[in-house]
Amino acid sequence: AVDCDFAGVIFLHKRSRIETVAATDPLIEKVDQVQVDIGQGPDVDTLQNRLSVIVDDTHTETRWPEWAALVAETGIRSMLGVRLYTSDELLGTLNLSSRQPQKFDGDDQAVAHVLARHAAVAIATARKQENLWQAADARKIIGQAQGILMERYDLDAERAFAVLIRYSQDNNIKLREVARQLVETRSLP
């Protein structure tokens, strides 16, 4: 939909960690890592306070001089970055790059926004569904662990759950992990 030489997707994890999750070429992962390493660049700005950024030419870019110089050395001359977000969540950025300077214009930016919006909705929906499955699995495994403790130590459900919670907190282990290990090994980790 937008003519470019390279494309990539960056995810933002826990509001601070940036990760390239998809790239059409290993070069894009390296370019993305430059932004992470030096803390500047169009994706960093897009994640912090912009909906999109166009870099017309890395040879003349002045907003992020260190980033631009390093990226220009790779042969990438222009870039279009668009925020991936929903009304509830900032997910990351969609990035398009070209070896040609001044490759992207307002029309490309509009198309990229539509693509990013659709991708963000799909990603957010998939994450929510995955979280629901994980929650259901965790509930099931915790119930099994409770049953083991109830049978083994003649506890009621409330006390068995309290044992799991206390063990989880005292050992700084997630409750579902304590339960999983108890079910698998038949003993507390």
Side-chain angles (χ1 to χ4, degrees):
V2 177
D3 185 30
C4 62
D5 294 315
F6 309 104
V9 174
I10 289 176
F11 278 175
L12 179 64
H13 300 287
K14 299 192 188 269
R15 310 288 297 161
S16 62
R17 189 172 63 86
I18 299 171
E19 175 192 20
T20 301
V21 294
T24 60
D25 190 278
L27 175 64
I28 296 305
E29 293 178 43
K30 291 177 187 173
V31 169
D32 291 345
Q33 190 60 45
V34 166
Q35 293 185 76
V36 171
D37 292 344
I38 65 173
Q40 69 168 240
D43 292 322
V44 173
D45 272 16
T46 302
L47 290 169
Q48 291 176 351
N49 58 19
R50 297 176 181 246
L51 293 180
S52 63
V53 172
I54 293 179
V55 174
D56 286 325
D57 191 344
T58 55
H59 286 184
T60 59
E61 178 58 56
T62 59
R63 292 172 287 187
W64 314 283
E66 187 178 358
W67 171 83
L70 292 168
V71 172
E73 290 176 9
T74 69
I76 292 177
R77 295 288 301 272
S78 59
M79 186 194 148
L80 168 59
V82 180
R83 184 182 279 194
L84 288 168
Y85 70 102
T86 67
S87 57
D88 298 330
E89 185 177 18
L90 172 59
L91 303 169
T93 61
L94 168 65
N95 304 297
L96 310 173
S97 302
S98 177
R99 291 185 178 107
Q100 297 175 1
Q102 300 177 347
K103 177 66 176 168
F104 305 106
D105 60 19
D107 290 341
D108 295 322
Q109 193 172 25
V111 171
H113 273 288
V114 170
L115 292 172
R117 197 73 170 133
H118 284 282
V121 169
I123 292 164
T125 301
R127 281 183 174 177
K128 284 179 184 171
Q129 186 173 7
E130 179 65 23
N131 288 343
L132 288 173
W133 281 111
Q134 286 177 355
D137 286 347
R139 184 175 175 190
K140 178 180 168 186
I141 200 90
I142 290 167
Q144 291 173 351
Q146 271 182 283
I148 291 168
L149 292 174
M150 290 167 64
E151 188 274 329
R152 183 169 296 155
Y153 299 107
D154 193 28
L155 302 174
D156 63 19
E158 189 175 314
R159 293 190 82 180
F161 188 69
V163 168
L164 292 171
I165 291 287
R166 187 176 61 246
Y167 194 87
S168 170
Q169 292 172 344
D170 290 350
N171 294 284
N172 198 25
I173 302 172
K174 292 189 178 208
L175 178 61
R176 70 176 175 269
E177 183 59 23
V178 170
R180 184 190 64 76
Q181 288 184 26
L182 176 59
V183 168
E184 287 179 3
T185 65
R186 295 297 194 248
S187 63
L188 288 169

